[in-house]
Amino acid sequence: MSSDLHPTLDPTKMGLGRSIAVLTSGGDAQGMNAAVRATVRVGLYTGAKVYFVHEGYQGLVDGGDNIRLATWESVSMMLQLGGTVIGSARCKDFRAREGRRKAACNLVKLGITNLCVIGGDGSLTGADAFRSEWSGLLGDLVTAGSISEAEAKQSSHLNIVGMVGSIDNDFCGTDMTIGTDSALHRIIEVVDAITTTAQSHQRTFILEVMGRHCGYLALVSALSCGADWVFIPEMPPDDGWEDHLCRRLADQRARGSRLNVIIVAEGAMSRDGQPITSDQIKELVTDRLGFDTRTTVLGHVQRGGTPSAFDRILGSRMGVEAVMALLEATPDTPACVVSLSGNQAVRLPLMECVQVTKDVTAAMAEGRFEDALKLRGTSFENNWKTYKMLAHINPPDVKSNINVAIMNIGAPCAGMNAAVRSAVRIGIIQGHTMLAVHDGFDGLAHGQVEPITWTSVTGWTGKGGSMLGTKRSLPGKMLKEISQNIAKFNIHALVIIGGFEAFVGGLELVQAREKYEEMCIPMVVIPATVSNNVPGSDFSIGADTALNTITATCDRIKQSAAGTKRRVFIVETMGGYCGYLATMAGLAAGADAAYIYEDKFNIKDLELNVEHLVEKMKTTVKRGLILRNENSNANYTTDFIFNLYSEEGKGIFDCRKNVLGHMQQGGTPTPFDRNFGTKMGAKTVLWLTDKLKECYRHGRIFANTPDSACVLGMRKRALTFQPLTELKADTDLEHRIPKTQWWLKIRPIMKILAKYDIKLDTSEHTDMEHVINKRGDLGK
């Protein structure tokens, strides 16, 4: 971040006298509409004119009715739609100079000098070529008499900003491309459905997923469902893989598994570059093992359906950043692409990203597979390493004589079981004995501890809730019993998976080290709670699933409100004092306001919101959606706000209220939570294994340094271990929230997209970065 942009600059005047065109090109992806909507609304907020270009580059070439002015209302009810509302098309005409000349003429005539392109690497490369020959095209048009010298002078420079929309996640420079998370949702829905039928019949299922040159969807799907084998183009199997695959499938059956799942990326190949197809694998398994085998090719199902909450938020954030990048660009600024790194929106030089993307393809073509894997980014590499470890199902003969206990604390949430599964299996691979503690700290105090094996966690990734059982009790009053059971069961390390109680409980155990020597063992807290309120982590396992539940409910509510007209819904979300769910769901569902504890509000704000809705009812969008975090204000309760709105809206709109309650904690985990939980569990046990070696003294383990009891959290761009005691200073223990929360910075985006007259802080803006080693650990 830098502060060299004039802090005095009024963002609502940045776009005056400027025109922005937005187009979607190439294959469609869920979440493109969120990006279009944000680009249009933020463009209008800055005072710019914004144009839709229908049918991608073809519309740019054909002009006429294909390039139309956008209005605030014209992007209403777009967020929840898959595909792209403004259309996309493959365009041969634009590849020829004559086509690009026509496109330039159409833009000049409308005074458009800012172009926002949402598409894959081909679409973005085309945009950059268009920009680089812009002055030449204008020269041609002046010579031909198509435009005047004055028009050419007025449009002398074209600014380009790209956003990557592609379900394959094949663009280097961003953790996640728009549409990838939604495609994973479709794949996992199918896998979950298939596994139930496969178990009934003891079948082997081969699932072919998209990803022509990129194995991301296949790899993350395999991690998310605990597949037996995955084929990806970046890392073809070793020679003789056929024997290895059959041996693994047979071993799994011998261990009592009733099904096998094999995932194949459509671009999978062998070491010598020959395609590996799902039919080929089916034939192999049927002939060699005689297993009842079925093949499912998912195809375009992966591109369809409603965008996930993640994709809507990603598209919205990228749209805002894209408009700012366009309006801040100078003739010397290279064309940039807006990317996601960890939880940060960053700007990267477009052609650098395109080049690295091409380098991956070249590396695969030349058989340099290790290089291809590295070029995909550290997170893709980490996913591959985690998959390889978990797929290695021959535990070592040599035992480590280490006992690691795992427990769940606090309220249950989706993804907890995925973290337990990967921690258990990675522990067994390290030679440790893994112990399950049932019912949280109560269970540890009452000796509810038993060994947990490889097979006992089979199928856990897709299960919601907590299979170990969980309670909110803190250890403070049971320290003596807990220390006795740590000694009795010879526990050498502790994995605590849970929410704020897990954090506080961990702190209590650390503080008890002075009195109870048994507590001097390494321990890690893995944040898992729908509230996303654990200090030391930007994301908690379970929050993504809850967010999707709220967003899906809000979609239905909006549909109902749109049908009846002039109706405002007030929806109460969970989260304790943390406003993460209300804010993010507000952004994903297109809410008019989200009331939270961290952003104090008073009666004047409530009055302003009512006035805003009264004005909204005069437009074509005759509905409202208000979210309220459960503990946002002790006096302005959901009932109070409902009554206030009902009274003030009499004769203009009517009100309904909805308290979502515990449905937000349930459901099957989303792909994000499964993958995040899997990576967190694996990373924790590997870290504990190293820490145990450090703490081994004179035949026993003794750990009492602050860095031997940590929270594993996602911080900006990486997973990091932070001492519990250090994080205490950044914690509001009374309200159970961290003192600093990253997502508060993106709250203004929700207000701007809901048409509030507020100032977006432009004093901090994202500088252009370089692509190498900028990938975070969130997606890839």
Side-chain angles (χ1 to χ4, degrees):
M1 287 292 192
S2 88
S3 308
D4 59 3
L5 191 70
H6 315 295
T8 52
L9 198 61
D10 181 351
T12 60
K13 306 232 175 359
M14 279 173 77
L16 287 176
R18 317 273 293 273
S19 292
I20 298 170
V22 57
L23 65 87
T24 51
S25 171
D28 64 313
Q30 310 96 315
M32 277 183 166
N33 289 324
V36 170
R37 172 181 176 267
T39 305
V40 168
R41 289 193 169 175
V42 176
L44 293 172
Y45 162 83
T46 64
K49 274 185 179 176
V50 187
Y51 290 84
F52 289 135
V53 179
H54 291 269
E55 311 310 332
Y57 284 122
Q58 193 64 55
L60 209 57
V61 174
D62 296 344
D65 252 5
N66 288 303
I67 307 176
R68 273 178 253 166
L69 262 179
T71 64
W72 196 273
E73 285 83 18
S74 62
V75 291
S76 182
M77 289 302 270
M78 270 172 73
L79 261 178
Q80 62 269 42
L81 302 176
T84 164
V85 168
I86 58 174
S88 180
R90 309 278 181 196
C91 177
K92 276 187 185 165
D93 295 346
F94 192 75
R95 289 182 188 161
R97 188 175 171 89
E98 178 55 32
R100 293 195 291 276
R101 191 158 49 235
K102 282 182 187 170
C105 185
N106 291 328
L107 290 179
V108 171
K109 288 291 180 194
L110 291 167
I112 300 167
T113 53
N114 297 285
L115 189 59
C116 180
V117 179
I118 308 164
D121 60 345
S123 306
L124 300 184
T125 306
D128 191 67
F130 187 40
R131 177 184 189 259
S132 59
E133 60 180 25
W134 181 255
S135 56
L137 295 172
L138 294 197
D140 292 354
L141 291 167
V142 171
T143 308
S146 305
I147 62 170
S148 66
E149 289 276 5
E151 284 175 319
K153 197 174 178 187
Q154 222 171 354
S155 303
S156 61
H157 180 72
L158 179 71
N159 292 323
I160 298 268
V161 169
M163 286 182 259
V164 192
S166 160
I167 66 162
D168 295 344
N169 209 16
D170 56 354
F171 191 80
C172 292
T174 185
D175 281 0
M176 293 290 266
T177 56
I178 295 168
T180 306
D181 187 65
S182 302
L184 285 169
H185 274 252
R186 296 300 91 78
I187 295 167
I188 293 303
E189 280 161 21
V190 172
V191 172
D192 286 351
I194 277 174
T195 48
T196 52
T197 172
Q199 277 182 320
S200 307
H201 298 275
Q202 293 202 49
R203 282 189 174 137
T204 296
F205 262 93
I206 300 160
L207 205 69
E208 185 181 300
V209 301
M210 278 182 164
R212 208 172 31 211
H213 305 298
C214 180
Y216 182 81
L217 289 178
L219 179 55
V220 174
S221 303
L223 268 178
S224 301
C225 71
D228 297 291
W229 195 287
V230 67
F231 291 93
I232 60 169
E234 289 86 349
M235 193 48 78
D238 294 327
D239 294 339
W241 60 267
E242 295 89 345
D243 296 338
H244 189 178
L245 171 65
C246 291
R247 194 164 58 247
R248 183 176 297 171
L249 298 183
D251 280 354
Q252 283 291 71
R253 289 290 170 96
R255 286 168 183 270
S257 174
R258 291 181 61 83
L259 83 152
N260 303 110
V261 177
I262 299 166
I263 294 186
V264 191
E266 60 181 348
M269 55 182 180
S270 61
R271 292 255 153 192
D272 55 3
Q274 295 303 306
I276 295 178
T277 66
S278 39
D279 287 339
Q280 193 185 330
I281 300 161
K282 179 185 175 181
E283 208 174 293
L284 171 75
V285 175
T286 314
D287 291 353
R288 292 242 196 133
L289 300 172
F291 289 173
D292 186 358
T293 308
R294 297 283 189 277
T295 303
T296 303
V297 179
L298 285 190
H300 283 73
V301 163
Q302 295 158 87
R303 272 209 190 139
T306 305
S308 65
F310 185 98
D311 273 330
R312 297 182 201 196
I313 293 164
L314 179 64
S316 300
R317 290 179 69 189
M318 283 187 168
V320 175
E321 193 63 41
V323 172
M324 290 301 157
L326 281 171
L327 297 180
E328 289 165 15
T330 66
D332 302 326
T333 314
C336 80
V337 61
V338 178
S339 299
L340 180 78
S341 181
N343 66 20
Q344 294 181 299
V346 297
R347 298 177 195 173
L348 299 168
L350 172 58
M351 291 321 289
E352 269 189 34
C353 298
V354 169
Q355 189 51 55
V356 178
T357 305
K358 286 179 177 167
D359 291 347
V360 177
T361 314
M364 289 193 288
E366 292 163 19
R368 294 183 289 111
F369 300 112
E370 293 290 342
D371 291 347
L373 204 62
K374 280 194 166 55
L375 286 164
R376 280 272 183 240
T378 50
S379 188
F380 189 99
E381 221 179 333
N382 288 344
N383 278 336
W384 176 251
K385 283 177 185 163
T386 308
Y387 160 74
K388 285 259 300 192
M389 274 191 290
L390 288 167
H392 169 113
I393 54 167
N394 296 322
D397 298 326
V398 184
K399 291 279 181 235
S400 66
N401 297 324
I402 292 289
N403 300 324
V404 179
I406 301 185
M407 61 205 301
N408 291 166
I409 310 294
C413 69
M416 272 183 163
N417 297 321
V420 173
R421 172 189 171 271
S422 78
V424 166
R425 291 196 167 177
I426 296 291
I428 290 168
I429 289 161
Q430 300 293 312
H432 308 329
T433 299
M434 303 304 287
L435 302 171
V437 179
H438 298 282
D439 299 338
F441 288 118
D442 280 13
L444 190 53
H446 299 136
Q448 291 170 256
V449 182
E450 61 177 5
I452 186 165
T453 63
W454 187 280
T455 46
S456 45
V457 291
T458 299
W460 278 28
T461 45
K463 290 183 175 167
S466 163
M467 301 292 285
L468 293 180
T470 179
K471 283 193 175 171
R472 288 182 179 272
S473 320
L474 291 169
K477 292 176 182 165
M478 310 176 264
L479 291 169
K480 188 180 176 192
E481 293 85 348
I482 286 173
S483 65
Q484 285 168 348
N485 279 325
I486 288 175
K488 179 184 170 184
F489 292 98
N490 202 13
I491 295 169
H492 301 113
L494 194 56
V495 180
I496 306 169
I497 303 168
F500 202 82
E501 286 92 354
F503 173 74
V504 176
L507 267 177
E508 288 183 3
L509 294 184
V510 170
Q511 283 154 3
R513 281 174 168 178
E514 289 175 21
K515 193 173 176 189
Y516 300 99
E517 209 175 284
E518 293 82 359
M519 307 288 185
C520 294
I521 56 172
M523 49 186 101
V524 173
V525 172
I526 299 178
T529 166
V530 300
S531 304
N532 199 31
N533 62 336
V534 178
S537 191
D538 294 346
F539 295 100
S540 293
I541 296 165
D544 186 68
T545 306
L547 195 51
N548 277 284
T549 304
I550 300 166
T551 305
T553 310
C554 287
D555 283 352
R556 288 173 187 162
I557 285 170
K558 275 173 77 177
Q559 209 171 38
S560 146
T564 47
K565 301 281 190 292
R566 299 183 185 280
R567 180 164 284 176
V568 173
F569 275 90
I570 292 148
V571 177
E572 184 187 293
T573 67
M574 275 184 163
Y577 284 95
C578 180
Y580 176 83
L581 286 180
T583 297
M584 290 309 205
L587 194 52
D592 293 281
Y595 298 123
I596 65 167
Y597 167 77
E598 295 93 337
D599 194 354
K600 302 285 185 259
F601 58 98
N602 56 30
I603 195 70
K604 281 194 175 66
D605 297 309
L606 293 173
E607 209 179 321
L608 191 73
N609 294 149
V610 173
E611 284 166 16
H612 172 84
L613 287 165
V614 168
E615 285 305 306
K616 193 178 179 184
M617 297 301 156
K618 293 175 187 170
T619 70
T620 54
V621 188
K622 300 183 192 307
R623 56 179 163 67
L625 177 66
I626 304 288
L627 298 185
R628 180 189 172 275
N629 161 256
E630 58 185 353
N631 289 348
S632 55
N633 189 298
N635 296 314
Y636 299 140
T637 60
T638 302
D639 285 338
F640 176 92
I641 293 172
F642 168 70
N643 292 334
L644 176 78
Y645 275 53
S646 300
E647 184 60 36
E648 293 295 319
K650 267 185 186 164
I652 303 162
F653 57 79
D654 65 345
C655 274
R656 295 287 185 276
K657 69 171 177 195
N658 226 311
V659 177
L660 299 185
H662 282 74
M663 65 182 283
Q664 295 161 84
Q665 278 180 3
T668 55
T670 57
F672 181 96
D673 279 332
R674 296 180 195 206
N675 187 24
F676 194 44
T678 300
K679 283 204 278 198
M680 298 278 266
K683 202 170 175 76
T684 294
V685 173
L686 293 175
W687 183 85
L688 282 172
T689 304
D690 289 341
K691 193 54 74 177
L692 283 161
K693 286 173 191 160
E694 270 177 44
C695 302
Y696 190 74
R697 301 270 187 287
H698 314 299
R700 55 182 288 242
I701 282 148
F702 185 79
N704 69 344
T705 54
D707 69 349
S708 63
C710 289
V711 169
L712 170 59
M714 161 63 75
R715 270 291 165 93
K716 289 187 178 171
R717 299 184 179 186
L719 291 173
T720 50
F721 290 90
Q722 301 141 97
L724 279 157
T725 47
E726 275 179 27
L727 290 169
K728 192 180 176 183
D730 184 40
T731 307
D732 175 349
L733 285 162
E734 185 193 344
H735 297 104
R736 301 159 53 88
I737 51 173
K739 287 177 186 170
T740 47
Q741 302 191 81
W742 68 274
W743 50 268
L744 283 168
K745 277 188 177 172
I746 62 175
R747 256 182 83 75
I749 295 174
M750 186 191 74
K751 292 179 182 174
I752 288 165
L753 295 178
K755 210 175 183 176
Y756 280 91
D757 183 18
I758 70 150
K759 294 284 181 274
L760 184 65
D761 179 13
T762 55
S763 61
E764 270 202 343
H765 81 279
T766 317
D767 272 335
M768 190 86 81
E769 299 188 2
H770 291 284
V771 66
I772 304 303
N773 299 327
K774 279 286 177 262
R775 310 291 274 281
D777 217 331
L778 175 63
K780 284 203 159 178

